[in-house]
Amino acid sequence: MTNTTKIATLAGDGEFTAYRATPAGTPKAAIVVIQEIFGVNAGIRRKCDTLAEAGYLAIAPDLFWRLEPGIELDPDIKPEFDRALELMGQFDQDKGVADIEASIRAVRSELGDDAKVGVVGYCLGGRLAFMTAARTDVDASVGYYGVGIDGLLGEKHAIAHPVLLHVPEEDHFVDKDAQAAMHAGLDDHPKVTIYDYAGEDHGFATEFGERRSDASAKLADERTAKFFAENLA
């Protein structure tokens, strides 16, 4: 079952919507799906639906609600891609992480205080997943092609729960030096696992559109499924 729900901000100064996909039976855990710069579009909703089919309560909060509530953009349409970049430039990432934390608290409250909650994010969401791992008590975090994680390594000491990062080696938003810095800073971290994907570019695991690379997307998603099964049990 799918629907839209509302979540109050941590500061109590507003509320935002989230797409919600509920499994048929009792949820075994909850997962917050963190959007790309294109909003909670059809691809992000499909990510939630797939997680619900696997038995998780999945929600995708609208993180751009302060800028333009309910926006959905297609990365394969240039004007919409350009609009997404504009929104990214205006987006307050610290407030975004706070809204993710509010989402984590909301689903944990619903399922019970001992319920496990994970996050999975893509592009901007991959970066926010790393920030969430460092700044909240989330139980497990997955980031797909997160941008600028090399600039966040000063927060790695605060990561207390497992993190999985999927890194395409030909990511035109994350150059080789940035990738090397990520490995140098995180390979010895006891809670962090990094998988590299040779020949793949940014967005390879999108559900729809020209960016998807099917074989690598399936491999990454299989690794994510195993990671969540192990860490949200």
Side-chain angles (χ1 to χ4, degrees):
M1 182 179 72
T2 63
N3 65 297
T4 300
T5 188
K6 290 191 175 182
I7 298 171
T9 62
L10 293 180
D13 57 354
E15 61 181 14
F16 52 93
T17 63
Y19 177 79
R20 173 187 172 109
T22 307
T26 301
K28 54 189 177 183
I31 297 175
V32 178
V33 179
I34 310 174
Q35 66 179 66
E36 296 181 280
I37 61 175
F38 310 107
V40 182
N41 60 11
I44 293 299
R45 294 195 298 272
R46 180 57 191 152
K47 297 289 188 187
C48 291
D49 296 346
T50 299
L51 289 168
E53 291 164 7
Y56 298 100
L57 169 61
I59 66 168
D62 176 11
L63 298 182
F64 282 173
W65 68 277
R66 293 180 177 86
L67 303 173
E68 187 173 333
I71 192 163
E72 297 183 37
L73 299 170
D74 185 337
D76 295 332
I77 299 174
K78 189 178 187 309
E80 296 191 22
F81 186 91
D82 292 343
R83 176 59 179 147
L85 292 177
E86 290 177 2
L87 290 168
M88 171 61 188
Q90 301 167 23
F91 177 62
D92 186 322
Q93 296 183 27
D94 293 329
K95 289 183 178 179
V97 173
D99 289 342
I100 294 166
E101 183 174 4
S103 303
I104 292 168
R105 292 188 186 183
V107 292
R108 186 175 281 145
S109 175
E110 177 181 344
L111 298 184
D113 291 340
D114 59 345
K116 294 287 186 73
V117 182
V119 297
V120 57
Y122 305 84
C123 177
L124 165 64
R127 174 184 174 86
L128 295 175
F130 186 89
M131 295 169 71
T132 299
R135 300 183 186 184
T136 77
D137 62 352
V138 68
D139 295 294
S141 305
V142 179
Y144 285 73
Y145 28 86
V147 178
I149 290 177
D150 57 305
L152 297 170
L153 296 176
E155 299 190 40
K156 68 178 184 179
H157 66 282
I159 295 174
H161 299 286
V163 174
L164 174 61
L165 300 175
H166 299 291
V167 179
E169 292 185 356
E170 304 306 321
D171 192 330
H172 63 286
F173 291 116
V174 183
D175 64 23
K176 299 291 186 181
D177 288 343
Q179 293 176 39
M182 289 171 63
H183 278 287
L186 296 171
D187 280 349
D188 63 350
H189 195 296
K191 296 295 184 181
V192 180
T193 300
I194 300 176
Y195 286 116
D196 299 302
Y197 297 83
E200 298 298 353
D201 198 353
H202 194 84
F204 75 88
T206 188
E207 289 294 309
F208 309 115
E210 298 173 1
R211 299 178 300 158
R212 183 175 174 85
S213 180
D214 198 57
S216 292
K218 289 178 178 177
L219 174 60
D221 289 346
E222 287 169 0
R223 287 168 167 168
T224 295
K226 180 180 179 183
F227 174 82
F228 280 139
E230 292 173 348
N231 293 294
L232 297 181

